[in-house]
Amino acid sequence: MITFAGFIVSMMLTMVLMPLAKQMGYRFHIVDVPNQRKVHAIPIPRIGGLAIVMGAAAPLMIWLDLSRSVKGYLAGALVILVFGILDDRFELGYKLKFGAQFLAAVLAVVYGGVHFEQLHIFHHWMPFPEPFAIAVTCFFILAAVNAINFSDGLDGLAGGVVLISL
């Protein structure tokens, strides 16, 4: 029941915050300007991720104990959020964006203590040594973040892909 309540709170909060994020996008000029490669004809706010992150984080802080793993996740999410907003506003270079993603993954894995410990292959459990487990988990997080980032080209596309994946 708590999982369903968390989903509803997250969805409702995101829906309430999205118009505010849209207004902030216009006010602070965090918009995607149309050009020959875009499908939209007017500037579109790019700051919807702020509402999504706030909606997703709220249930975690309401119902979960702020354990080390939750704090690690939230710290990583905050890094992604801050650099995402900066990128939307100033068009950061790929090296800086990747560095921020790497920092976020390391925060979640090392500080949060969340990593793969073993892998199930051909009906056998294969344990990972800790350094390898940390590296594999960081790689997985970076791959997931970039897969969603590359799919984000149309309004709501990344959010839809994430919802379907969920």
Side-chain angles (χ1 to χ4, degrees):
M1 187 66 176
I2 290 177
T3 303
F4 182 70
F7 172 75
I8 296 298
V9 167
S10 180
M11 181 180 65
M12 297 303 287
L13 186 57
T14 300
M15 289 171 58
V16 167
L17 292 175
M18 198 57 76
L20 298 172
K22 184 177 178 180
Q23 288 175 351
M24 284 178 59
Y26 286 125
R27 181 174 182 186
F28 297 108
H29 306 289
I30 304 174
V31 293
D32 190 22
V33 180
N35 64 29
Q36 66 274 12
R37 295 184 61 210
K38 308 290 174 133
V39 294
H40 52 83
I42 60 171
I44 302 292
R46 301 174 81 183
I47 197 168
L50 177 63
I52 294 169
V53 169
M54 291 175 72
L60 297 177
M61 293 188 288
I62 293 170
W63 282 294
L64 293 180
D65 294 328
L66 287 179
S67 65
R68 184 175 159 200
S69 60
V70 174
K71 288 178 185 176
Y73 168 79
L74 291 173
L78 181 63
V79 169
I80 294 289
L81 175 65
V82 168
F83 276 88
I85 291 171
L86 289 173
D87 181 44
D88 288 344
R89 179 64 175 100
F90 301 110
E91 299 284 331
L92 303 177
Y94 71 93
K95 291 178 183 176
L96 185 57
K97 288 190 287 188
F98 186 78
Q101 293 168 358
F102 183 75
L103 174 63
V106 167
L107 282 171
V109 174
V110 176
Y111 175 71
V114 177
H115 57 274
F116 295 116
E117 292 180 353
Q118 51 189 354
L119 184 64
H120 192 248
I121 300 177
F122 302 116
H123 306 290
H124 298 287
W125 287 103
M126 184 178 85
F128 288 148
E130 189 167 356
F132 184 69
I134 289 171
V136 167
T137 308
C138 284
F139 176 78
F140 176 80
I141 290 172
L142 286 169
V145 166
N146 280 288
I148 297 305
N149 196 24
F150 288 141
S151 74
D152 191 20
L154 298 173
D155 241 8
L157 180 61
V161 168
V162 169
L163 182 62
I164 291 168
S165 298
L166 175 68

